[in-house]
């Protein structure tokens, strides 16, 4: 049997959690069964280069503005020409355009996604999501929290949503000497406890709360904090660092391609998000045996068992975050215990093999149901 042609669609391929999961999935698909193609519209990154190096076909179809008839025409021409058996869309914009063209693609199956809680969606966006999901042959959520909220907001049956947790590959750990060398390379002494934030500088990640919490801590007790990532709020973050007199303690690294390496020589990860699906950053930290301090937002409690594999704090509570930062910074034994338990959980529960097998099972189910339907109709 020849490999089945499938298309993964994302509005953009910048460095983000969903985009990293796309890479994991595409690289892990059984190529004897699947012939995958990636289609994206905006913002390429090194992740596209990684896929192309792995032999994955990637198509960039540029889109300018919210509505471009030329873009829609080119997308329709591509889909009609390629005749993919199944299309899996990873973002609302990608879902919208695919859903709009589905009536012209009667033999193509459609899989939609839930990649977060989307609490900032206005009513009209939830209406669009309901319209999209109503035509989907399957819906995949990366967290139970995301599935629950989506079902409530769109009035679809939550049982229609497959929950497939994100996957992570488990790295080899740096030796003690290599860890010390890496810290020295970045000007970090072994005596200075160093926390790490990884993520886009956007409203959902709630960086102002983290900086406020740092300012609550007496200067002599503050950890050093590295911020790895970029985004539209970068200038506001820089202004807040200066206004709170945190320049000696907070270092902005910009967008990095080596965050998993950074995790291995920092002392803990901090994620203050006010909204999360299932965080890739938390998973990567767990795999790197790094203690995690995270808000209790969204899917974070699905990953972090408070007090065993990490520490949770109430979302939007700067005072509690400041207290937890001090406690974690002061207790090296606790950090080691949390990190060891987290790595064990990552190895046990969040493998790339599990991600690939579960997603391929959904694809097979959808295509098999389509084949049976066509046979019954004939």
């Amino acid at each position: 049997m020849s490999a089945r042609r499938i298309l993964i669609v994302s509005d953009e391929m910048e460095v983000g959690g969903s985009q990293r999961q796309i890479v994991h999935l595409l690289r892990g698909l059984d190529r004897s069964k699947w012939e995958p193609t990636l289609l994206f519209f905006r913002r390429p990154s090194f992740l596209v280069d990684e896929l192309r190096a792995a032999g994955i076909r990637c198509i960039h179809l540029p889109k300018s503005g919210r509505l471009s008839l030329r873009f829609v025409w080119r997308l329709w021409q591509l889909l009609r020409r390629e005749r993919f058996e199944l299309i899996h869309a990873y973002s609302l914009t990608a879902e919208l355009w695919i859903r709009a063209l589905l009536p012209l693609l009667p033999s193509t199956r459609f899989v939609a996604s839930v990649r977060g809680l989307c609490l900032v969606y206005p009513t009209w966006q939830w209406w669009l999501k309901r319209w999209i999901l109503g035509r989907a042959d399957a819906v995949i959520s990366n967290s139970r929290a995301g599935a629950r909220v989506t079902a409530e907001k769109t009035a679809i049956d939550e049982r229609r949503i497959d929950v497939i947790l994100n996957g992570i590959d488990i790295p080899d750990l740096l030796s003690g000497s290599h860890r010390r060398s890496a810290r020295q390379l970045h000007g970090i002494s072994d005596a200075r406890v160093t926390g790490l934030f990884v993520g886009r500088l956007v409203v959902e990640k709630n960086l102002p709360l983290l900086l406020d919490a740092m300012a609550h801590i007496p200067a002599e007790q503050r950890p050093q904090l590295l911020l790895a990532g970029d985004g539209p709020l970068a200038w506001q973050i820089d202004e807040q660092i200066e206004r709170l007199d945190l320049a000696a303690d907070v270092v902005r690294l910009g967008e990095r391609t080596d965050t998993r390496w950074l995790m291995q020589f920092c002392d803990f990860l901090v994620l203050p998000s006010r909204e999360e699906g299932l965080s890739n950053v938390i998973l990567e930290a767990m795999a790197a045996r790094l203690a995690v301090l995270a808000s209790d937002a969204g899917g974070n409690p699905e990953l972090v068992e408070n007090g065993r594999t990490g520490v949770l704090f109430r979302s939007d509570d700067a005072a509690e975050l400041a207290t937890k930062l001090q406690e974690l910074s002061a207790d090296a034994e606790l950090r080691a215990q949390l990190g060891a338990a987290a790595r064990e959980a990552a190895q046990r529960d969040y493998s790339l093999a599990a991600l690939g097998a579960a997603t391929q099972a959904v694809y097979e189910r959808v295509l098999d149901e389509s084949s049976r339907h066509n046979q019954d109709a004939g």
Side-chain angles (χ1 to χ4, degrees), residues 230-295:
D230 205 348
L233 299 188
W235 67 273
Q236 295 181 32
I237 300 303
D238 289 338
E239 187 277 333
Q240 188 179 5
I241 290 171
E242 182 177 354
R243 175 167 47 81
L244 296 177
D245 195 24
L246 293 173
D249 305 300
V250 181
V251 180
R252 274 228 307 119
L253 302 178
E255 186 174 296
R256 300 288 293 247
T257 61
D258 59 349
T259 54
R260 298 184 65 192
W261 182 71
L262 294 175
M263 288 177 180
Q264 291 212 36
F265 67 77
C266 289
D267 297 296
F268 64 89
L269 177 93
V270 58
L271 189 67
S273 306
R274 60 167 51 113
E275 177 184 338
E276 282 288 345
L278 204 77
S279 169
N280 284 287
V281 170
I282 289 179
L283 276 177
E284 290 173 355
M286 292 171 66
R289 204 170 64 186
L290 184 65
V292 173
L293 172 59
S295 68

Side-chain angles (χ1 to χ4, degrees), residues 342-361:
R343 182 172 168 91
E344 180 182 338
Q347 290 172 314
R348 182 183 64 245
D349 300 329
Y350 304 104
S351 70
L352 292 183
L355 167 70
T359 307
Q360 290 174 89

Side-chain angles (χ1 to χ4, degrees), residues 205-244:
K205 298 302 180 184
N206 213 8
L207 264 296
L209 180 84
L210 176 55
L211 298 179
D212 284 342
M214 287 284 288
H216 275 84
I217 302 172
E220 66 276 8
Q221 297 178 25
R222 287 177 196 151
Q224 183 174 47
L225 181 62
L226 307 182
L227 306 181
D230 205 348
L233 299 188
W235 67 273
Q236 295 181 32
I237 300 303
D238 289 338
E239 187 277 333
Q240 188 179 5
I241 290 171
E242 182 177 354
R243 175 167 47 81
L244 296 177

